[in-house]
Structures are given as C-alpha cells and as structure tokens.
Amino acid sequence: MIIPVTVFVALTALCSINGVSLFNTDDSLLLLTRGVATTMLTAMALAINLNSGRFDFSLGSMATLSSVIGATVALNTGGGIVVMAAVTVGSGVLLGVFAGLVYVRLGISPMVCSLGITLLYEGVSFAISGGANVSFLLDTGLTSFSKSPLNMLLVIVAGLAVVFVIFDRSRFGYDYRSLITGQAAAVAAGTNERRNAIGCYAVSGGLMSVVGLIIASQMGYIEAGKLNFGSIGVMFTAFLPMFIGGFIGRFSNDKLGYLLGAFCTTLIGLAFAALRLTSTAQSIANALLLVGFLAYLSNEDRLKRAWRRLAGPPRGTPGPAAPSSPAKPAEVPAVTGASAS
C-alpha cells in the first residue's frame, strides 16, 4: 500500500500547490472507478500472455470488434444492455479462442500472429459497420451502464474474482504457472501447452470485451472505421499499470497489484486533468514515468546497495569487533612443599 498512498499524497499536494483539487467535479468518483476498471482489465489481459512471452497487439481490435458485434445485435433485436453485454463478452471469448488457434496451429511468432489478427479484426469491424461509427447516443439503456460508479465497482470485483479463480484456484492456473516457471519440465510432466495458450487468449479476449463494452457505453458510439493498426493504442495505455502491478505483486497477489497499479495511473490521469495539461504534455509525462519506472526496475539492486552505503548499518547492528588483547599467560600454580611431596 506504500506506492498508492504515496502517489495519492504526492498528487494531492501537487494539486494543492497549484490551487486545484484532485477531485474537483461531481463525476470524480465515476471517473475514478471507470478508469480503474478499464485500466485494470486491460493490464491483466496484456499480462496474461506477456508473462508467457507472447506479445499481443490485438487487444484493442478484440475490444472494438466484440463491442461492434454486441451493439449491432442489441440495436437490431432491441435487447438492451443485457443482450449487448452477453453478446459482447461471448464474442470476445470466441475472438480470443480464434487468435489462440491461429497462434498454435500456424506456429509463427506471437508478435507476427497478433499483428495479423489485429488487421483481420479491424477489417471485419470495418466491414460490419461499413466504415462508419456504430452509434446509439440516444439509447439511454445502452449508455447508462458506464455512467454508474456502482456498475464500475461491480465490474472491478467481478473481473478480479474471475481472474483470481481461473489463475489461482484451478488446474488451468496451476498449469499456467508451471509453464511460466519451467516450460520444458511442465510439458514433460504432461501439461498441454497449446490448450493452455488458447485458454489464455480466450480469457484475454473476454477481459478486453468488457473494456470495449465500457468504452462503447461511455461514448455512445464505437469507432469501427479504424484500419492499419489504429486500435493498437489501447494496449500501450496498460504498460505502466502492468509494470507497477507486477512490482506490487512481488509482495502480494499479482491481481491485487494490477488493481493498485490501475488505481495509481488513474489518479495520475485525474491530476493531469485537474492541472489542465495538454494531451501532448500528458503523453510526455506518461512516457517519462514509464521509462523512469523501468529504469528503476532494471537498476533496483544497484540502487539498494548505494542506499545501504549512504545510510550506513541499521540501528542495533553491532559494530566491528574491537581488537582482542594479547592472551594473558596462564598462571603457574604455586607449588607448596606439602603438595610437592
């Protein structure tokens, strides 16, 4: 909790110095919960495959295509947010399964595979929408979902619970961790690596579909005309919270780390908005924060050694032992006349 508390205190002080408040609008709680929800889910979706060495560029295209399918079905059937949410999440899981099947069947680099999947999903979104935005601004049933802090809190709790059960309390999760820590030994012990990879892509797709649902409900429309990797930017928003969450997870559960990492980055975004920084300044500041944090992680041991040299030995540690005095020669017992005899 040291990192999120420090970030909160530092940002509150910075805003106070500049005469503004970190939570200066009536929607601050909604902005905080919605930012934490989308950032946490994206960070977990990115980390699931990245921890196994699979770099996935298709996260944004999965969110876009799944929400396009869900919104289109909901608008055509009049099913409302329930139908939209069910179809969006189901589509996201299937899109993840397809991406996983392409990866394990073709046997190509995961980075190249994800780039191809990104182009494919962006093209399908374009074909479904005809290149135009899928708009439902006047449908309050679809746009009210992401305007409730309670809904966002439920999304956070449900997302954490699902990922925790799948990766910490199931055979699938045990296989996942064994493949991360020792791939060859896990495969030799009978772990099905391909099935596990497809499952990871499915979970990642499901998480990103919820992100797409929240963004679509917030905006009231979906930008489905993005082509040529226009959806990749969603992934880069999750790098800083993912690394912060991974660092916090070294001392606790990594899912809790992603939650706190998302909380920290959302607070930073609220502070930028309160300070009225331009989008360019925000991008530069976020890049500097990411590079600075990665530099710290790369030199963590060196910095700790330098700090120990500056701080000296901790209190209570005995100092160096004083040189011992020369050994005193043993006294020769006096020999009396009675004992001598």
Side-chain angles (χ1 to χ4, degrees):
M1 294 299 291
I2 295 177
I3 293 179
V5 171
T6 303
V7 170
F8 176 76
V9 172
L11 292 177
T12 302
L14 181 62
C15 290
S16 299
I17 292 173
N18 288 274
V20 296
S21 173
L22 184 59
F23 302 102
N24 57 354
T25 66
D26 296 336
D27 294 334
S28 294
L29 178 59
L30 173 61
L31 296 175
L32 177 64
T33 53
R34 190 164 59 202
V36 171
T38 56
T39 306
M40 182 195 72
L41 295 177
T42 307
M44 290 195 295
L46 178 62
I48 286 171
N49 280 311
L50 194 59
N51 288 340
S52 298
R54 297 185 292 267
F55 208 97
D56 191 0
F57 286 101
S58 65
L59 297 180
S61 63
M62 286 187 190
T64 300
L65 179 54
S66 60
S67 59
V68 165
I69 296 173
T72 302
V73 172
L75 291 173
N76 290 332
T77 62
I81 188 63
V82 176
V83 171
M84 180 178 175
V87 175
T88 299
V89 175
S91 301
V93 173
L94 292 178
L95 293 174
V97 170
F98 178 77
L101 285 173
V102 171
Y103 165 66
V104 300
R105 291 298 181 186
L106 297 184
I108 57 179
S109 163
M111 184 178 295
V112 175
C113 176
S114 69
L115 289 175
I117 291 294
T118 301
L119 288 176
L120 175 64
Y121 287 171
E122 287 180 351
V124 175
S125 299
F126 189 95
I128 293 176
S129 64
N133 293 338
V134 179
S135 179
F136 44 88
L137 281 169
L138 300 180
D139 193 330
T140 56
L142 299 182
T143 57
S144 60
F145 172 70
S146 64
K147 292 181 173 57
S148 166
L150 178 60
N151 288 343
M152 296 300 102
L153 285 175
L154 292 176
V155 168
I156 293 171
V157 173
L160 281 174
V162 170
V163 176
F164 176 76
V165 170
I166 291 177
F167 289 95
D168 289 16
R169 290 292 184 272
S170 71
R171 172 68 181 273
F172 175 84
Y174 301 148
D175 290 344
Y176 171 78
R177 293 187 179 279
S178 65
L179 288 168
I180 291 177
T181 54
Q183 184 180 15
V187 172
T191 301
N192 191 323
E193 182 184 9
R194 292 187 171 189
R195 186 183 303 167
N196 197 272
I198 295 172
C200 290
Y201 276 101
V203 176
S204 178
L207 294 175
M208 288 311 299
S209 69
V210 179
V211 175
L213 175 67
I214 294 174
I215 295 175
S217 179
Q218 172 192 354
M219 303 293 292
Y221 63 88
I222 306 168
E223 296 182 21
K226 293 181 179 178
L227 292 174
N228 300 322
F229 306 116
S231 61
I232 285 182
V234 174
M235 179 187 67
F236 294 103
T237 62
F239 272 110
L240 182 58
M242 186 192 69
F243 286 118
I244 293 176
F247 178 78
I248 296 174
R250 289 159 51 181
F251 310 99
S252 64
N253 188 279
D254 55 348
K255 316 305 178 298
L256 179 62
Y258 296 133
L259 171 63
L260 297 179
F263 177 75
C264 293
T265 52
T266 304
L267 283 181
I268 293 172
L270 291 176
F272 287 164
L275 295 171
R276 300 183 183 279
L277 296 184
T278 63
S279 59
T280 303
Q282 292 185 27
S283 299
I284 294 174
N286 283 323
L288 291 175
L289 287 172
L290 177 60
V291 172
F293 193 74
L294 292 178
Y296 169 76
L297 292 179
S298 300
N299 299 278
E300 187 177 0
D301 293 336
R302 187 182 303 174
L303 293 172
K304 286 182 177 178
R305 288 196 297 270
W307 172 253
R308 291 194 193 100
R309 284 197 296 270
L310 290 174
R315 294 181 178 179
T317 302
S324 58
S325 57
K328 190 177 180 179
E331 295 182 357
V332 179
V335 180
T336 62
S339 60
S341 62

